[in-house]
Amino acid sequence: MLTVIPDLLDAAQVAALRATIDAADWIDGNATSGHQSALAKQNAQLPEDSEAARKGGAIVLDALAASPLFVAAALPLKVFPPLFNRYATGDGFGAHVDSAIRIRRGSDYRIRSDLSATLFLADPDSYDGGELVVQTQFGEQSVKLPAGQMVLYPASSLHHVAPVTRGVRVASFFWIQSMVRDSDARAMLFELDTAIQSVGARLGQGDAEIVRLTGVYHNLLRRWAEV
């Protein structure tokens, strides 16, 4: 399941984030690649331990914590500190699957990557190509979002970034360990939560049936969650 988180960052936040990361020194994107990814990847990346990456990551993490849609869709237990990449003309990232366990360099911080996230930070009209292409049960889905919008997708998915043919694609990327490991269970919880919120907006959250359905949601979450 692909879930778009619209307007995670507003225009002012995107501008502030870009000002921070654009002025920094970038390195070869394979600094964080596994063996498979290194064979397919051509881009630039901010060093994980750079001041710009820390400042930019803090902006992204604050926005995630303030997004009910992200919390509902991901049910996050851990979020890997956001990273940042840049694809110039000719760069791309061939088909790959993200590593199951992500370890922050120089620390013992690690997560199981249940979900992958790409937060777009460049106006889509400013570059050609650069689409995130994810293989799903319904075939390939191509994603290219306005700056400030993010897409969540299963980290187990085969995916690639199409070569950039004009301009520069800039994004933040990271992984989430969910409280609910099973992707089907997580999708059902998200669908149930979305329906409860929609019907509750019409009937009122105090409606007796909404209260009962909310109880069902939390009892299912209690059954499936790992914390």
Side-chain angles (χ1 to χ4, degrees), residues 71-139:
V71 173
L75 295 170
L77 178 63
K78 297 181 182 179
V79 179
F80 197 86
L83 304 173
F84 299 89
N85 58 21
R86 183 172 65 189
Y87 292 78
T89 301
D91 288 348
F93 197 163
H96 65 285
V97 173
D98 289 340
S99 299
I101 304 297
R102 304 298 311 196
I103 302 172
R104 185 166 175 79
R105 288 177 180 270
S107 76
D108 59 359
Y109 181 86
R110 65 190 64 204
I111 71 169
R112 181 187 68 239
S113 60
D114 297 321
L115 291 162
S116 297
T118 297
L119 169 60
F120 290 80
L121 296 173
D123 186 330
D125 292 334
S126 69
Y127 64 98
D128 293 331
E131 295 85 359
L132 172 67
V133 183
V134 183
Q135 185 66 45
T136 74
Q137 59 181 325
F138 305 109

Side-chain angles (χ1 to χ4, degrees), residues 181-219:
R181 180 196 296 249
D182 184 83
S183 60
D184 290 336
R186 192 167 58 245
M188 284 188 285
L189 284 167
F190 181 51
E191 185 174 2
L192 178 57
D193 187 19
T194 301
I196 289 170
Q197 298 306 317
S198 177
V199 176
R202 296 198 303 271
L203 301 182
Q205 292 297 333
D207 180 84
E209 298 307 314
I210 294 298
V211 172
R212 289 181 62 190
L213 286 172
T214 301
V216 170
Y217 172 86
H218 284 286
N219 286 333

Side-chain angles (χ1 to χ4, degrees), residues 8 60-61 64 70 79-83 98 115-119 150 152 172-176:
L8 182 72
V60 176
L61 291 173
L64 293 175
F70 167 73
V79 179
F80 197 86
L83 304 173
D98 289 340
L115 291 162
S116 297
T118 297
L119 169 60
M150 185 178 82
L152 287 172
S172 177
F173 65 102
F174 51 95
W175 302 272
I176 300 100

